[in-house]
């Protein structure tokens, strides 16, 4: 097959090339209708193609090749140490560009591999997208896997996996399996995801729904959030209501609305819930604040808890020197040595040494020596140790006054 | 890319640790086959400057190198991964700690 050659700096007008096309640097090709190259189009340095182009393979070396229209490559597009600028749509089987690729129209390929910068103004459809540096897209992205080393700015997404080294901002959409971000993750619109793993800072500015969330540093959700497991290494806040299974927070966590969990809550630091906090098991090492906290199995407070309406679980245990403000309600309530509480309601309530409690209302009450209780009301038995101080009572009442919550 | 505090005023100057993290993140994307030119495009850094930075990362055990078709390629080590995860965690906290106090006040008032 004949080869057509455009010399360095050449100006030509082409419509059809049967065989291969080789183009020297700084050439300009005027296109009659659409340039169709039967073989491989090779560019050595920067050149302009002033119209749409179609070829079997596309290779460029150094410089920037500009295609003023659409570029259709039936096989692979490859640029070594170069960049490609397509003013129209791009279609290829596999795209491998070292420096940069800019596409103003829709783009479609099995794989996009770009070393430096990938910028698209419209939609991009691919099996796999891998960008060493920066990736920006103005339209919808549909792909199986997306990877970028640097920063990523996307609009709507429908992808399986997303892995970004630096920072990413997405408009919203769906990431069916996993999102892994080294640095900073921001979702502007509603988002659904399989899992979210962010090293530094994650911010969900609209409602979101997903599986496990693991954030090393700071997590923020402006609206409602649904999840399975949420683990925050540092600080977290949810502006709306949240529901999920398990929660593990290392530092501080705030939820403005209701917080409903079906599993275990472990807070190493402090948690604040503006409305009701509901779950199965709760352990707080630091401080809990909520309008009410109702857990089906157990609540263990290592530090302090403050509620307006109360704290309720089958088993409530206040650890050594912990402090609770607001009513406590439990089938079994244990106040360990030196802990302090206000009103305590239960079937069985045990107040150990050096505890201070305002009022105990229970079927069975046991108060250890050196403990101080303002008032004891009981319906079954009251075991008050010598040396315990009970200011009023113990008084047997039948039935017991109604419990809160 | 890794050098700004997006949406919160003046960009932070890139420190050496930011450059290390940038390079490690780009190398990580190539799954053991990162060539120096590709990393240079990804990290937005000239090859000569990148080469000395990469050598330092190799000497610190954060990157490892081997020959592929007669050319050196780079991959991140477990120690490099550890550096990245610690770096990003710390950056998350720094972002909160360095947030403009006036922004915080206006948010509180709002």
């Amino acid at each position: 097959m004949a080869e057509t050659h455009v010399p360095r700096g050449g100006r030509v007008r082409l419509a059809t090339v049967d065989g291969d096309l080789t183009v020297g640097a700084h050439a300009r090709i005027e296109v009659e209708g659409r340039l169709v190259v039967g073989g491989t189009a090779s560019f050595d340095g920067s050149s302009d193609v002033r119209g749409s182009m179609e070829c079997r393979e596309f290779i460029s070396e150094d410089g920037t090749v500009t295609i003023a229209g659409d570029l259709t490559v039936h096989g692979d597009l490859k640029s070594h140490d170069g960049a490609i600028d397509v003013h129209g749509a791009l279609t290829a089987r596999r795209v491998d560009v070292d420096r940069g690729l800019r596409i103003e129209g829709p783009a479609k390929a099995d794989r996009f591999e770009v070393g430096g910068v990938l910028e698209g103004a419209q939609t991009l459809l691919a099996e796999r997208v891998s960008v060493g540096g920066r990736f920006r897209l103005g339209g919808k992205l549909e792909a199986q896997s997306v990877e970028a080393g640097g920063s990523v700015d996307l609009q709507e997404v429908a992808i399986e996996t997303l892995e970004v080294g630096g920072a990413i901002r997405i408009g919203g959409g769906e990431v069916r399996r996993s999102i892994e971000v080294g640095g900073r993750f921001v979702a502007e619109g509603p988002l659904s995801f399989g899992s979210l793993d962010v090293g530094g800072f994650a911010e969900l500015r609209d409602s979101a729904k997903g599986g496990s969330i693991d954030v090393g540093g700071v997590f923020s959700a402006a609206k409602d959030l649904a999840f399975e497991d949420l683990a925050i290494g540092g600080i977290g806040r949810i502006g709306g209501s949240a529901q999920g299974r398990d929660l593990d927070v290392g530092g501080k966590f705030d939820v403005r609305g209701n917080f409903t969990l079906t599993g275990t809550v472990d807070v190493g630091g402090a948690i604040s819930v503006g409305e009701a906090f509901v779950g199965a098991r709760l352990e707080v090492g630091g401080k809990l604040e909520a309008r009410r906290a109702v857990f089906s199995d157990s609540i263990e407070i290592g530090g302090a808890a403050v509620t307006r309406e109360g704290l309720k679980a089958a088993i409530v245990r206040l650890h050594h020197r912990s402090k609770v403000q607001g009513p406590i309600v439990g089938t079994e309530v244990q106040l360990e040595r030196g802990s302090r509480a206000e009103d305590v309601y239960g079937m069985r309530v045990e107040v150990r040494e050096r505890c201070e409690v305002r009022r105990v209302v229970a079927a069975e009450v046991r108060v250890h020596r050196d403990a101080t209780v303002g008032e004891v009301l009981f319906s079954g038995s009251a075991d008050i140790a010598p040396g315990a101080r009970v200011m009023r009572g113990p008084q047997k009442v039948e039935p017991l006054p109604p419990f809160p919550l | 890319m890794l050098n700004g505090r997006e949406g919160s005023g003046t960009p932070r100057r890139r420190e050496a640790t930011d450059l290390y993290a940038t390079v490690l993140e780009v190398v990580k994307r190539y799954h053991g086959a990162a060539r120096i030119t590709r990393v240079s495009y990804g990290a937005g850094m000239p090859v000569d400057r990148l080469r000395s930075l990469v050598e330092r990362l190799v000497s610190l055990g954060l990157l490892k190198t081997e020959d592929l078709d007669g050319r050196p390629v780079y991959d991140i080590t477990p120690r490099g991964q550890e550096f990245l995860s610690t770096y990003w965690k710390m950056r998350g906290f720094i972002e909160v700690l360095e947030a403009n106090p006036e922004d915080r006040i206006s948010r509180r008032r709002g």
Side-chain angles (χ1 to χ4, degrees):
Chain A
M1 252 189 312
E3 180 185 294
T4 302
H5 179 67
V6 180
R8 180 184 173 85
R11 304 282 185 272
V12 296
R13 178 174 285 273
L14 293 172
T16 306
V17 173
D18 288 337
D20 294 342
L21 171 69
T22 60
V23 183
H26 308 298
R28 190 164 78 199
I29 300 171
E30 300 290 343
V31 176
E32 286 176 18
R34 181 181 179 88
L35 171 58
V36 178
V37 178
T40 300
S42 306
F43 293 83
D44 185 10
S46 295
S47 284
D48 284 347
V49 177
R50 303 212 157 172
S52 294
M53 179 180 169
E54 183 179 338
C55 58
R56 204 185 67 219
E57 306 280 340
F58 184 107
I59 299 168
S60 81
E61 182 91 23
D62 293 325
T64 300
V65 177
T66 304
I67 311 293
D70 298 339
L71 174 60
T72 306
V73 183
H74 298 291
D76 297 345
L77 182 159
K78 194 166 173 56
S79 175
H80 186 246
D81 285 338
I84 313 281
D85 190 351
V86 182
H87 293 182
L90 169 66
T91 310
R93 188 175 60 191
R94 183 175 165 164
V95 175
D96 188 348
V97 176
D98 271 354
R99 192 148 53 84
L101 174 62
R102 200 170 73 86
I103 312 147
E104 290 183 16
K108 185 181 173 186
D110 291 347
R111 295 176 78 161
F112 283 88
E113 289 194 25
V114 178
V117 178
L118 172 58
E119 284 184 345
Q122 296 187 31
T123 55
L124 192 144
L125 177 64
E127 286 287 311
R128 181 175 176 221
V129 181
S130 174
V131 182
R134 197 173 74 232
F135 178 24
R136 284 185 185 184
L137 193 67
K140 185 175 180 179
L141 171 64
E142 290 183 63
Q144 290 293 310
S145 74
V146 177
E147 276 188 69
S151 65
V152 174
D153 192 337
L154 303 172
Q155 304 306 316
E156 188 187 354
V157 298
I159 51 188
E160 284 290 318
T161 62
L162 175 63
E163 201 177 326
V164 177
I168 176 165
R169 189 205 69 86
I170 64 174
E174 183 184 18
V175 182
R176 288 178 286 273
R177 282 170 63 193
S178 59
I179 302 172
E180 280 184 46
V181 180
R184 189 178 204 277
F185 175 82
V186 176
E188 302 277 1
L191 178 73
S192 69
F193 54 89
S195 65
L196 174 65
D197 189 339
V198 180
F201 188 104
E203 186 178 356
L204 305 170
R205 294 184 177 164
D206 208 322
S207 56
K209 184 179 180 184
S212 69
I213 301 172
D214 192 337
V215 180
V218 181
F219 174 77
S220 159
K223 296 187 177 172
D224 291 350
L225 175 71
F227 61 89
E228 284 179 15
D229 307 319
L230 177 58
I232 308 294
I235 299 163
R237 66 180 93 89
I238 296 173
S241 292
Q243 57 182 34
R245 190 175 57 199
D246 298 333
L247 171 72
D248 189 339
V249 181
K252 189 174 183 300
F253 198 74
D254 295 322
V255 180
R256 199 167 183 175
N258 293 304
F259 199 10
T260 308
L261 295 155
T262 55
T264 302
V265 182
D266 191 343
V267 182
I271 187 164
S272 166
V273 179
E275 297 297 329
F277 189 16
V278 177
R281 288 170 298 284
L282 169 67
E283 280 184 39
V284 180
K287 186 174 181 184
L288 160 72
E289 283 183 273
R291 182 167 66 86
R292 60 163 72 180
V294 179
F295 283 71
S296 58
D297 295 354
S298 60
I299 294 176
E300 301 209 19
I301 305 292
V306 179
T307 63
R308 292 202 304 277
E309 296 177 5
L311 194 76
K312 182 180 179 182
I315 299 170
V316 180
R317 184 173 294 126
L318 272 59
H319 289 276
H320 177 56
R321 299 187 71 168
S322 58
K323 191 175 165 185
V324 173
Q325 285 177 31
I328 297 172
V329 183
T331 307
E332 199 169 300
V333 183
Q334 297 171 1
L335 287 85
E336 292 186 357
R337 199 163 164 259
S339 57
R340 285 192 281 168
E342 293 178 344
D343 298 349
V344 180
Y345 301 83
M347 294 309 294
R348 287 176 297 282
V349 175
E350 183 174 5
V351 182
R352 299 189 72 91
E353 296 84 355
R354 294 188 185 171
C355 286
E356 290 180 24
V357 184
R358 186 166 65 190
R359 187 179 189 227
V360 175
V361 179
E364 295 170 19
V365 182
R366 188 170 176 207
V367 182
H368 291 247
R369 67 185 170 85
D370 294 334
T372 304
V373 182
E375 181 181 19
V376 172
L377 300 178
F378 68 99
S379 60
S381 64
D383 177 3
I384 313 295
R389 289 176 292 278
V390 175
M391 307 305 177
R392 291 177 60 195
Q395 185 187 349
K396 188 163 185 172
V397 291
E398 192 63 56
L400 288 170
F403 291 3
L405 296 173
Chain B
M1 54 190 169
L2 311 180
N3 56 335
R5 241 190 289 135
E6 287 158 36
S8 59
T10 328
R12 196 173 66 88
R13 191 174 159 269
R14 281 219 283 190
E15 308 279 349
T17 46
D18 300 324
L19 296 175
Y20 291 153
T22 302
V23 171
L24 289 170
E25 286 290 1
V26 175
V27 169
K28 196 174 146 184
R29 300 303 134 203
Y30 289 100
H31 307 286
R35 286 187 285 115
I36 197 88
T37 47
R38 277 272 162 133
V39 178
S40 99
Y41 293 128
M45 210 179 282
V47 170
D48 52 349
R49 190 173 167 214
L50 177 67
R51 217 180 280 280
S52 64
L53 203 146
V54 161
E55 278 167 17
R56 177 139 175 78
L57 290 170
V58 170
S59 72
L60 291 169
L62 305 181
L63 283 182
K64 63 183 177 186
T65 181
E66 62 180 51
D67 265 23
L68 186 69
D69 302 329
R71 285 191 299 184
V73 289
Y74 298 91
D75 195 8
I76 191 165
T77 62
R79 192 170 156 81
Q81 291 276 15
E82 196 183 329
F83 169 86
L84 277 181
S85 96
T86 308
Y87 169 85
W88 287 121
K89 197 168 179 174
M90 201 59 212
R91 280 291 304 271
F93 285 113
I94 287 169
E95 189 148 353
V96 172
L97 294 169
E98 289 185 352
N100 189 342
E102 286 179 13
D103 288 351
R104 286 200 304 248
I105 290 163
S106 62
R107 273 204 301 270
R108 233 177 278 148
R109 282 178 184 155

